[in-house]
Amino acid sequence: MRGTSVLAGLTAILLISGTAVSQQPPAGGRGGRGGGGRGTPIQPGETCPPGTTEIRPRSCMAPEAPAPSIVDYRPHSTLIAPTHLVKTAKFPAIDFHGHAQGLLSSAEGLASLGASLDSINVRLMVSADNMSGDRLKNTLTAIRASDKMKDRVRVLAGVSFRDVGPGWAAKAIAQLDADVAAGAVGVGEIGKGFGLSTRKPDGSRLSIDDPELDPIWDECARLGLPVFIHTADPEEFFKPIDYTNERWLELSLFPDRRYPQDRFPSFDQLMKERDNLFRKHPRTTFVAAHMGWHASDLGRLGKMLDEMPNLYTEVGAVLYDIGRQPRLAHDFFIKYQDRILFGKDSFQPEEYPYYWRVFETRDDYFDYYRPYHAFWKLYGIDLPDDVLKKVYFGNALRITKALPQQGWPK
Ligand SMILES: [Zn+2]
């Protein structure tokens, strides 16, 4: 007993002296509570050495315990703040970026899709699966045969970029005309392979603004079809995978999302070609998927929307960027309320409520659904009802005349 209390007393003295040391400015990089000898000085502008963090100006220290890996560190937030979960959208929504994953080809699939859409208040899904020819016709036949779903799914047509060269455009236009006659309401989703990896017959890369393609975009304008296009991927996918890369975890989980610069065009090159395409065809309506991958630079996207009245954008899979800048994003959505469409991309019904919560509430600091996209939290951007209605359905209806136009809220 006696020995224990002597030990406890000694420990208390050591702790007190340790605290006293930590209140002194680090001397020669030494110091910090319990840091005996572990502090490392750095020069102004330098970053801390690996395994250490800046504990006082220009003094770095390593944690005493081995640091957890970023996949294992899951701190529980201690923030207590108002919480408004939004299970169903406040107004019926159109998902302009639908990938229903096989649910469109059978009555059972469509019934299951309908039940899922009801549970989140998505009234209409626009299938962006690049369907064409028989596949498109068979899908439309299944949709039309479903009493419950015949007005709740519409389909975009695909354009094949194989063998682009002399004669390609006439064939592509004939196929598009046939697909529209069969019931397609627009074009898309033109996938990210266009620009990144699609080749011409001579082996050269097919650039997004290749003049051989001009006739198909003009045909889209003539038919009044919106062109839904996904170009490139997040800019971080084109950069070295080091510990400054915001998407390190995603790139490490999914190596096929990396675009090494010795094998792929740069992000900026793809953006340049894409913007050329939009500018070259001012009568064609383009919808840039994923906010054109500029949700992390809304100033850039705003400039594009200012310059190109034929351009619209869609919010699929970039909620992590919208929700981390609630004030800027709020103002952006107000300013460009006529140009933004709701879309989700990957069809996971339980993920839609995160979008509703970001758009409809002013909640602070809440989890995103996919930790490998974003290690940060989200905030609500609190959009007014008239803007929600445009983003959820109004803008999609305006640019896609062949969508069912009746029965939407005023
Ligand atoms: Zn998609």
Side-chain angles (χ1 to χ4, degrees), residues 97 99 128 189 228 230 290 345-346:
H97 195 157
H99 295 299
E189 160 187 21
F228 184 46
H230 171 159
H290 309 298
D345 199 358
S346 169

Side-chain angles (χ1 to χ4, degrees), residues 25-47:
R30 314 267 154 182
R33 180 174 180 169
R38 287 184 293 136
T40 305
I42 53 170
Q43 296 302 311
E46 272 185 355
T47 49

Side-chain angles (χ1 to χ4, degrees), residues 100-145:
Q101 289 160 358
L103 296 177
L104 302 182
S105 52
S106 69
E108 305 76 55
L110 283 160
S112 138
L113 177 67
S116 292
L117 296 182
D118 285 344
S119 74
I120 49 182
N121 200 21
V122 171
R123 180 178 293 177
L124 182 92
M125 175 176 273
V126 176
S127 161
D129 287 322
N130 266 315
M131 283 192 239
S132 188
D134 285 344
R135 186 170 160 231
L136 175 84
K137 280 188 196 154
N138 294 340
T139 301
L140 287 167
T141 303
I143 293 165
R144 286 169 184 148

Side-chain angles (χ1 to χ4, degrees), residues 187-409:
V187 166
E189 160 187 21
I190 294 176
K192 61 184 161 188
F194 178 49
L196 261 177
S197 53
T198 306
R199 306 254 149 205
K200 295 171 88 163
D202 66 3
S204 63
R205 183 177 67 89
L206 175 64
S207 67
I208 294 167
D209 54 353
D210 192 301
E212 298 269 14
L213 307 173
D214 286 343
I216 194 84
W217 311 128
D218 292 340
E219 182 68 357
C220 292
R222 191 183 73 80
L223 296 170
L225 304 175
V227 177
F228 184 46
I229 179 166
H230 171 159
T231 307
D233 254 343
E235 193 168 1
E236 296 291 87
F237 292 11
F238 295 78
K239 291 195 181 151
I241 312 165
D242 58 26
Y243 287 0
T244 66
N245 190 313
E246 240 183 1
R247 306 295 278 267
W248 182 92
L249 182 56
E250 176 166 8
L251 291 169
S252 186
L253 288 166
F254 305 102
D256 61 337
R257 296 184 186 177
R258 302 173 193 169
Y259 303 116
Q261 290 299 283
D262 57 341
R263 282 193 285 132
F264 290 96
S266 68
F267 181 79
D268 280 335
Q269 175 67 25
L270 293 165
M271 296 298 113
K272 202 173 103 191
E273 293 172 5
R274 176 201 64 186
D275 294 355
N276 267 346
L277 165 69
F278 296 163
R279 276 193 206 100
K280 257 206 298 182
H281 299 278
R283 291 173 44 252
T284 309
T285 296
F286 291 97
V287 182
H290 309 298
M291 293 182 95
W293 301 118
H294 301 316
S296 55
D297 185 357
L298 291 176
R300 179 172 181 171
L301 184 57
K303 256 190 216 143
M304 289 170 63
L305 291 167
D306 289 340
E307 190 204 328
M308 308 168 189
N310 57 326
L311 178 62
Y312 293 76
T313 193
E314 176 269 344
V315 299
V318 289
L319 192 68
Y320 53 83
D321 271 335
I322 299 169
R324 68 165 155 171
Q325 45 179 337
R327 287 164 291 270
L328 199 61
H330 170 91
D331 294 351
F332 182 90
F333 274 70
I334 298 295
K335 182 163 182 194
Y336 298 104
Q337 57 185 270
D338 295 312
R339 315 286 289 282
I340 306 168
L341 279 63
F342 172 73
K344 170 64 178 69
D345 199 358
S346 169
F347 184 61
Q348 307 291 341
E350 61 270 49
E351 293 175 348
Y352 288 67
Y354 291 82
Y355 286 75
W356 315 147
R357 190 177 183 192
V358 167
F359 294 144
E360 298 177 24
T361 80
R362 27 186 306 127
D363 282 2
D364 281 325
Y365 196 75
F366 51 90
D367 283 327
Y368 178 56
Y369 54 84
R370 214 168 275 185
Y372 70 78
H373 274 172
F375 48 83
W376 53 84
K377 304 278 180 176
L378 305 187
Y379 302 79
I381 68 170
D382 192 27
L383 296 176
D385 286 357
D386 52 340
V387 175
L388 285 174
K389 285 188 239 179
K390 290 178 177 181
V391 171
Y392 282 175
F393 63 88
N395 294 334
L397 292 176
R398 198 173 77 253
I399 65 167
T400 320
K401 297 284 182 260
L403 292 181
Q405 300 281 333
Q406 303 303 315
W408 299 91

